[in-house]
Amino acid sequence: DAGVIQSPRHEVTEMGQEVTLRCKPISGHNSLFWYRQTMMRGLELLIYFNNNVPIDDSGMPEDRFSAKMPNASFSTLKIQPSEPRDSAVYFCASSPQGQLLSNQPQHFGDGTRLSIL
Amino acid sequence: GNSVTQMEGPVTLSEEAFLTINCTYTATGYPSLFWYVQYPGEGLQLLLKATKADDKGSNKGFEATYRKETTSFHLEKGSVQVSDSAVYFCAQDRGSTLGRLYFGRGTQLTVWP
């Protein structure tokens, strides 16, 4: 079975440029999560969706960050304009959680390593 | 609120040593508890989970027991291997939300041969 698929795996770009990270969740999963991981701050939840609807975006650092989920099989995280402090590994995860049930784990992609010069 | 506190690393052990990584949770309700492992250059993978008090999750020689009285979910392994070197994350849900997990800061484990 295909897991969570993220692209690109690596991105190096200059500050000020727009960056778009992509995620394809596991088929049938209806919750999708975007995380950022850095040495200083650890793993941070940026935003999550349920049934394509954003539930909580309080972790999005600032207006330069935006996320969309136009359908059940695709999501994007966009940074515009990018800054060097945005350099991190960005993970997407999905879970089958769709109702008020617990104990369903999240499945993570391999991440996008982003470097802003 | 909900927060997960886990033992700060890094932890360095010799092969075949006993491992304990402490984790405590705070929650109202009846959360499920998880341990995830992250190998270098990869995403997090579920290692084990427990869904109610006194449950023991186990996988690949690792174990953790859901202790409600001490709000703990400590990870243990009797004999670690070099291949266990990774970052370990403790996590919980809230028992009623849409799949959101709350992660600890992670503990780096290095096992030397």
Side-chain angles (χ1 to χ4, degrees), chain A residues 9 31 33 35 37 39-43 45 48 50 56 91 97-103 105-106 108-110, chain B residues 30-32 34 36 38 41-46 49 51 89 93-101 103-105:
Chain A
R9 286 298 312 274
S31 288
F33 306 82
Y35 293 89
Q37 186 177 38
M39 289 292 290
M40 290 295 294
R41 302 171 72 97
L43 190 68
L45 176 67
Y48 73 102
N50 181 256
D56 184 350
F91 288 104
Q97 194 90 346
Q99 305 297 322
L100 294 179
L101 299 173
S102 67
N103 81 53
Q106 292 178 19
F108 282 73
D110 285 335
Chain B
Y30 304 95
S32 292
F34 307 84
Y36 279 78
Q38 183 180 28
E42 299 183 11
L44 281 69
Q45 304 172 24
L46 180 68
K49 71 176 187 181
T51 58
F89 292 87
D93 65 11
R94 288 182 67 175
S96 62
T97 55
L98 297 171
R100 178 175 181 172
L101 294 181
F103 286 88
R105 286 297 304 264

Side-chain angles (χ1 to χ4, degrees), chain A residues 22-59:
Chain A
R22 296 173 176 80
C23 176
K24 178 176 167 50
I26 292 173
S27 178
H29 284 194
N30 46 19
S31 288
L32 183 141
F33 306 82
W34 282 101
Y35 293 89
R36 178 172 69 178
Q37 186 177 38
T38 61
M39 289 292 290
M40 290 295 294
R41 302 171 72 97
L43 190 68
E44 303 173 276
L45 176 67
L46 300 177
I47 185 172
Y48 73 102
F49 296 83
N50 181 256
N51 291 328
N52 314 335
V53 176
I55 302 300
D56 184 350
D57 65 355
S58 59

Side-chain angles (χ1 to χ4, degrees), chain B residues 2-43:
Chain B
N2 288 27
S3 67
V4 174
T5 303
Q6 67 179 97
M7 175 176 157
E8 288 199 20
V11 175
T12 303
L13 296 173
S14 297
E15 208 165 24
E16 299 184 3
F18 184 85
L19 169 71
T20 300
I21 300 177
N22 290 340
C23 171
T24 57
Y25 67 93
T26 57
T28 55
Y30 304 95
S32 292
L33 305 175
F34 307 84
W35 276 101
Y36 279 78
V37 58
Q38 183 180 28
Y39 299 104
E42 299 183 11

